[in-house]
Each structure stands twice: as structure tokens, then as C-alpha cells.
Amino acid sequence: MKIILVGGGKVGSALCRSLVAEKHDVVLIEQNEAVLNHIVSRFDIIGLLGNGADFAILEQASVQDCDIFIAMTEHDEVNMISAVLAKKMGAKETIVRVRNPEYSNTYFKEKNILGFSLIVNPELLAARAISNIIDFPNALSAERFAGGQVSLMEFIVKSSSELCHMPITDFRKKFGNVIVCAIERDHQIIIPSGDMTIKDKDRIFVTGSRIDMMLFHNYFKARTVKSLLIVGAGKIAYYLLGILKDSRIDIKVIEINPDRASFVSEKFPNLYIVQGDGTAKDILLEESAQNYDAVATLTGVDEENIITSMFLDSVGVQKNITKVNRTSLLEIINTPDFSSIITPKTIAVDTIMHFIRGRVNAQYSDLQAMYHLANGQIETLQFHIKEENKMTAKPLSHLKLKKEVLIAAIIRNGKPIFPTGEDKLEVGDKLVVTTLLSNITKIYDLIER
């Protein structure tokens, strides 16, 4: 597909990497010459220096032949104007990044008066991910599929756990419809077979129905978040406070910028806001950070978030949620030191790539959802079986699935099935798959040719 991308910032650069990996023809429009040259030299793409809202630049990029136009600059208004212009000039689909809460109203979202194909708000998506984690504090991460009917969670196995040294076959017998769909061990990801055994320090990715997963979550330790400290009152914190405003969680916010602290205080008058440096040890101890059930460190500086979370871990905070946008940092820090890491850039790219894959022709199935886990090494996909094909009407054990593929769940008539080898796929089913393969766009990519 021909894709035009405006903006080469954090999300734009990560998006270029994913688009090139999936063999799309990419044109990048960027006003900063140094940024443009850097990205063009790294990836096999065409670069244009200029303003993405400039008619002449869009004409030069041949926007009329564009399958998908994506506007990802730092400025919402530029994104919206360029996407509207691109659509008028012939672009088939338009995706825009809109971050300002002022544009999160009915006319821009539900009614979508400007006609965008997809509106992406990385901070809102990150806030929703944090909300999921708060719902399941024992898990490192939590995702939901099929309208929330199927949950996928990540846990670390400790030597004291009954799961340690448990064979996968015994796990299934003990927990019924809860499935271990992937294991990270010694920095390697494994799709487990029945004869594998869970070991100390394994990261296990587990899926099941929402109710079964709640029970499994509580098997580790029945725990709920009743108090939350948020360090940094930026956009993610703003959206998170909106999501949690009707909850019974006791929330405190520490924000260093007095104007921002005042703004958030006006928007949430019942909230306790402290104006100060939430990354400073004395302030954290003064505000009794160690006594909170969870702390979300959401400042604009990744290094400060990481160091603050390290300190909070050392004083006994049980649940740390740490925002890290630079994925390169995840390769050099000891991630088990952190309860949960949130990367808004990655969440936004996943959302966009899911949309794009859904537009790639798939005759027999439709890709409905996509999530990356384990720093992008695992893909969890949801397909809709639209018509009879060579994967339907035969036992799953007879399908020649590729080695790095696991069928995690089947949703049939609104009810989840956690299949055995005797189950069969039917037209209308929603299929949840976990795989180590990349660039999966259609269901046939899962089976041996």
C-alpha cells in the first residue's frame, strides 16, 4: 500500500519502522531537515521536506494516489487540516493524532464531523492501559479482547509460588479454561508445549475468560488498589483521572509545574494535588509514597520515571507503573525491577498498524484487533471468520499451524471457548491467536502452506 506520513517524531519514526517491515511504500513529510535525513537514512522510504498542511507539498507527494494518509505531528490542528486536505485531494483513508483534551468532545469523536478514518490519542490509550493494570494489580500487563470477554495478562513466577515447577499439562488441569499462551525465559520467548514446565522467574502470558482470569489473578494474591499516587500531571494523568473519577480509589497527584497543578486542580476540584517535585526523595517520603497501593510515575522524562520507580520499589511500593517512551531504554534496564511499564508510542503504533492490516485484503477473515507484548516480541491477534475456508469444519489438531502459533480462544455466539485439539472453527467465530511471527495480515499466514 502507498502510505503518506506527516511528522517524524517518536510515534512517526516508530511507525516508519513498522510500515517498512510490512513492506508498504512510505513517503515521509517532515519540516525538520535533520530529523527527515535521519529517518530516511535508516529506512527505505521517500522523504519530503516541508509542511504537511501545504497543498503543494501534498501534491508533490502524489496524495491523490495514496491508500492511507497519516498525520502525526506535535500539533493537532496541523494534523487535522492536513488530513482534511489530503482527503479532499483523493487520499482513500486518513488517520490523525489528536491529543488535546479539548478535542475529545462528541463532535470530534462520536460524530467525527471531519470524517477521519481513525483518530489516535496516545495519551488516552496509555491511560486506558494503566486503568486495566490498576484493575489487576498482580499482573504486569492486562489486555482485553472480544469486547472484554477474553483477558490476557502477564505475570512473573516466583520460587515461592505453587506455579513454580508446574508442568503446563498440570496447569491446564488445575485452572481449567486458563491457558499459558507464551513464556519469556532468559530473554527468550517460547510458545509452550504441554510437556514444558514453568520455572522460577518466568514471565508467563496467560489468557482466559474475564471471570476465570479474575480468579486466576486472585490466586496469586487477592489484592485491589485502594490508593494511587500519580507523579506528573501531564496528559496521561489528566485522561487517567477522568477514567477513575467515579472510582473509590483514593488518589493524590504530585506536579512540579505550578500552572499545571492549578489547571488540574480546577478540572478535578475534589482531588488532592501537591505542587512539588515528585521525583525528589524527600517529597515522596513526606507524602508517604511508600504507603500507597500503587504509584504511577508519568513525568515527561523517561530517566526520571525509571529512577523514581527504582526508589519506590526499594521502599516497598508493591505496584509501580512507569511511563517509558524510549524503547531503547527497556533493553538496558532490569525490567523485573518494575511492576508495569507503559509505552504510549508503542500503544499508538499498534493501534495504527492494526487499522492498516485490517485494510490489507483478507478474503476469508478480518483482522479485528492486535496487541504487542514482551516489548514487541509477541503478537496477539483477533480474527473474524467471515466465510467457509480451509481452516473451518475440521478439528484444530488437524490444522497444520506454524510452530510459533497458539490458538488462545474462540468466541462463538458471544461466548468464549478455550479450545482443545477436538474443537473446530465455524463461520462467524472470532479467533484469538498468540504468535511469535510478525507481519500477520490474514488467517492463512498462521498455517503451513
Side-chain angles (χ1 to χ4, degrees), residues 167-335:
I168 294 294
T169 49
D170 291 351
F171 181 98
R172 187 70 191 266
K173 290 175 185 175
K174 182 176 180 65
F175 296 106
N177 286 331
V178 176
I179 297 173
V180 178
C181 51
I183 296 175
E184 182 177 357
R185 179 181 298 165
D186 299 326
H187 306 293
Q188 288 194 326
I189 305 295
I190 307 161
I191 299 292
S193 58
D195 57 359
M196 276 194 67
T197 298
I198 300 170
K199 295 184 178 181
D200 180 32
K201 297 180 183 177
D202 279 355
R203 285 178 178 242
I204 60 172
F205 297 85
V206 182
T207 189
S209 71
R210 180 169 174 79
I211 293 174
D212 286 336
M213 287 304 298
M214 288 176 68
L215 294 173
F216 180 76
H217 171 271
N218 292 337
Y219 169 81
F220 272 77
K221 183 180 178 183
R223 184 155 62 98
T224 58
V225 172
K226 296 180 180 178
S227 60
L228 171 68
L229 175 65
I230 299 174
V231 179
K235 288 188 175 70
I236 295 177
Y238 179 90
Y239 288 119
L240 181 60
L241 291 171
I243 293 170
L244 300 178
K245 68 179 185 300
D246 296 325
S247 73
R248 297 183 179 180
I249 299 173
D250 178 27
I251 302 174
K252 181 191 291 184
V253 178
I254 305 177
E255 167 57 42
I256 192 169
N257 184 305
D259 293 336
R260 185 66 185 177
S262 176
F263 169 79
V264 175
S265 180
E266 290 175 7
K267 292 293 183 180
F268 301 96
N270 297 324
L271 194 66
Y272 183 24
I273 297 182
V274 176
Q275 195 269 303
D277 185 358
T279 64
K281 175 182 176 180
D282 57 340
I283 290 181
L284 289 170
L285 294 178
E286 185 179 323
E287 298 301 329
S288 302
Q290 67 275 17
N291 295 329
Y292 279 81
D293 294 330
V295 180
T297 312
L298 307 176
T299 79
V301 182
D302 289 348
E303 292 83 357
E304 289 186 356
N305 292 337
I306 291 170
I307 293 169
T308 302
S309 292
M310 285 180 171
F311 169 70
L312 292 167
D313 184 62
S314 72
V315 298
V317 174
Q318 293 295 304
K319 186 65 183 180
N320 278 302
I321 302 169
T322 311
K323 190 198 82 170
V324 180
N325 239 331
R326 288 171 53 200
T327 50
S328 58
L329 290 174
L330 303 180
E331 299 170 4
I332 61 175
I333 62 176
N334 187 17
T335 51

